[in-house]
Amino acid sequence: MTRSRRALTAPFALLAVLLAISIPRLVCAQESPPLRQSSLTPETATVQLLTLRDASRNDRFIGLGVRDVRWAPDGSFVYFRWNRNPITDDDPGADPWFRVDRRGRNVGEVSDTEVDL
C-alpha cells in the first residue's frame, strides 16, 4: 500500500470503530415506554384464595362421563345424563338423559319427563 492510501484508510477505520461503539449506546439511551399488560395495581387488586372447587369449575371442555345414574322402578332400564359435546359454559342441568336396557344393547336419548318417574 502506498503511503497516501494508508493516510486515507486510517481515518475511515477510526471513524468506523467510533461509530460501532457509539451507535448501540445512542440507541439504548432512548427511553422506551414501559410494557404494561393491564391497569391493575397492588392497590386496586383484591386478594381471593383459590380453592379446588374454583380451579376445577367449568372443566367440561375435557369431556364428561355419565352422571345421575338411576334404575327404572321396574329394573328394566338404567337412566343417566351425558353430554356428547360439552362446552365450558354449558349448564349441567340441561344435559340430555339417556337410557339403556339391562343388557346394555339398546341406548337412546329420552325426554326429561320420562325420567321423572
Side-chain angles (χ1 to χ4, degrees), residues 72-93:
D74 64 358
S76 59
F77 293 101
V78 174
Y79 293 92
F80 59 91
R81 282 188 184 257
W82 180 54
N83 192 337
R84 295 179 199 180
N85 301 308
I87 57 174
T88 303
D89 296 332
D90 277 348
D91 176 21

Side-chain angles (χ1 to χ4, degrees), residues 48-57:
Q48 183 177 3
L49 295 176
L50 181 64
T51 64
L52 183 58
R53 182 179 299 273
D54 292 333
S56 64
R57 185 180 60 205

Side-chain angles (χ1 to χ4, degrees), residues 64-69 80-83 98:
L64 299 173
V66 299
R67 62 184 183 82
D68 297 338
V69 180
F80 59 91
R81 282 188 184 257
W82 180 54
N83 192 337
F98 291 86

Side-chain angles (χ1 to χ4, degrees), residues 14 19 29 33 37 41 52 74 87 95 105:
L14 180 61
L19 286 175
Q37 294 183 3
T41 64
L52 183 58
D74 64 358
I87 57 174
D95 287 349
R105 294 184 182 170

Side-chain angles (χ1 to χ4, degrees), residues 34-66:
L35 296 177
R36 293 200 174 196
Q37 294 183 3
S38 71
S39 60
L40 187 64
T41 64
E43 293 79 28
T44 61
T46 58
V47 177
Q48 183 177 3
L49 295 176
L50 181 64
T51 64
L52 183 58
R53 182 179 299 273
D54 292 333
S56 64
R57 185 180 60 205
N58 291 334
D59 58 354
R60 295 171 61 85
F61 64 92
I62 60 174
L64 299 173
V66 299

